[in-house]
Amino acid sequence: MSAQRELVIAQVSRVFPYPAERVFAAWLDPQLARQFLFATPGGEMIRAEVDPRVGGSFVFTDRRDGEDVEHVGEYLEIDPPRRLVFQYGITGFNAPPDVVSVEFAHHPNGCELTLKHTMGAEYAEYQERTEKGWTMSLESLANTLTAE
């Protein structure tokens, strides 16, 4: 019998002045997602592939200072425009995949997005950094939707 893995959750929320359908759709559109998902200000997104179905996968490769950082995952749940759940990892790290759930709720000003990133407790020291990274991604998502 294996021991249950202890978990820690990083969580961020943001209200977008757009309907949930539009915000949700951006996560599964590779042309939009490449602009905010795992993209960094100093990096160059060189690959964005999305197979938007349960069991489908995604790959986003961000070139940072000449080094390619490949973000990979598998979609576990796709319930438009309410919920998106996926496993997530970075190629080259020998760790069980994290699970990210994104909830999209109707809000008087548009849509409230709440993201929970569940990782092993052994990565608890990265909780704040993870929340900052997702906050940056949601800011980039807002900019992407505004420019669209």
Side-chain angles (χ1 to χ4, degrees):
M1 179 185 277
S2 64
Q4 186 172 359
R5 186 173 182 218
E6 295 212 17
L7 304 172
V8 65
I9 298 174
Q11 180 172 321
V12 297
S13 295
R14 183 180 176 119
V15 174
F16 293 87
Y18 306 106
E21 292 80 4
R22 183 172 176 200
V23 179
F24 183 96
W27 287 75
L28 300 179
D29 179 330
Q31 295 308 314
L32 295 176
R34 75 180 305 125
Q35 297 176 51
F36 72 90
L37 201 52
F38 313 116
T40 56
E44 173 192 2
M45 188 60 66
I46 61 169
R47 181 177 179 196
E49 297 177 9
V50 174
D51 181 7
R53 61 183 175 82
V54 173
S57 62
F58 63 78
V59 178
F60 291 88
T61 305
D62 192 36
R63 183 163 288 154
R64 304 172 184 170
D65 297 322
E67 182 181 343
D68 291 350
V69 180
E70 187 173 72
H71 304 266
V72 297
E74 178 182 331
Y75 295 107
L76 303 175
E77 185 178 340
I78 300 175
D79 181 15
R82 292 177 286 285
R83 184 170 161 84
L84 179 65
V85 181
F86 54 89
Q87 287 186 330
Y88 165 70
I90 298 176
T91 300
F93 285 87
N94 188 18
D98 296 344
V99 175
V100 177
S101 65
V102 190
E103 302 279 343
F104 305 81
H106 292 288
H107 185 277
N109 296 327
C111 166
E112 182 174 19
L113 182 154
T114 301
L115 181 146
K116 295 179 183 176
H117 184 137
T118 305
M119 62 189 106
E122 65 272 26
Y123 299 105
E125 67 186 275
Y126 295 104
Q127 181 178 4
E128 184 177 331
R129 181 177 169 186
T130 300
E131 288 172 347
K132 286 181 180 179
W134 282 117
T135 297
M136 182 180 71
S137 291
L138 296 184
E139 178 68 26
S140 294
L141 171 56
N143 293 337
T144 298
L145 292 172
T146 299
E148 186 183 40

